[in-house]
Structures are given as structure tokens and as C-alpha cells.
Amino acid sequence: MPLPLMHPLEQLRMESWPVLHELASELRQTVVLMVYLGMERMVLNLVRGPEGVAPYYGSWMHGPLHATAIGKSLL
């Protein structure tokens, strides 16, 4: 957790969990909530899908923008 407990983004992370969990269950996919801070991408929340695949995400996305779906949406 890179943010203090009372930070607004931390509050969003906690409040988004039920929605992300339901979405992951319905789609049977891993769901990631990303936040754009300028041109930077921060992983705010991640809910694994029921298939058991557990990708690793750090707090910040460092890959090239054109190589990820979240980066392409920013571009």
C-alpha cells in the first residue's frame, strides 16, 4: 500500500473492492483498477478471477504504454 489509510485514493480502493469482486466473478477474469497520475499508471486494486491465474502487479506500471491495454487506453 503506497498510500496512507485516509488518502482519497485509498478510500476509493476500499470502496471499489465489492464492485471489482463481482465483475471478476461475472467475467471469470482478473480485474485491475488503475489510476492515471499524469502519464504514470498506478495499480489501485486487483481482484483475481476464479481461474486461479495470479499475475504479479507492483504499485506502479513501468512497461511501455503501447504494450499494455491500460497503456493503450491512456494513449
Side-chain angles (χ1 to χ4, degrees), residues 33-51:
L33 175 62
M34 302 289 289
V35 175
Y36 297 108
L37 301 170
M39 290 296 286
E40 299 293 324
R41 298 155 291 160
M42 184 172 92
V43 175
L44 198 57
N45 207 345
L46 179 136
V47 178
R48 284 182 33 201
E51 297 299 319

Side-chain angles (χ1 to χ4, degrees), residues 5 21 24 45 50 62 68:
L5 266 178
H21 187 275
N45 207 345
H62 297 288
T68 63

Side-chain angles (χ1 to χ4, degrees), residues 34 41 57 61 63-75:
M34 302 289 289
R41 298 155 291 160
Y57 289 95
M61 299 296 289
L65 293 175
H66 68 278
T68 63
I70 200 72
K72 288 178 184 178
S73 65
L74 176 61
L75 290 174

Side-chain angles (χ1 to χ4, degrees), residues 19-33:
V19 174
L20 296 176
H21 187 275
E22 182 179 332
L23 187 60
S25 294
E26 186 176 313
L27 296 176
R28 302 186 58 77
Q29 298 291 322
T30 297
V31 177
V32 181
L33 175 62

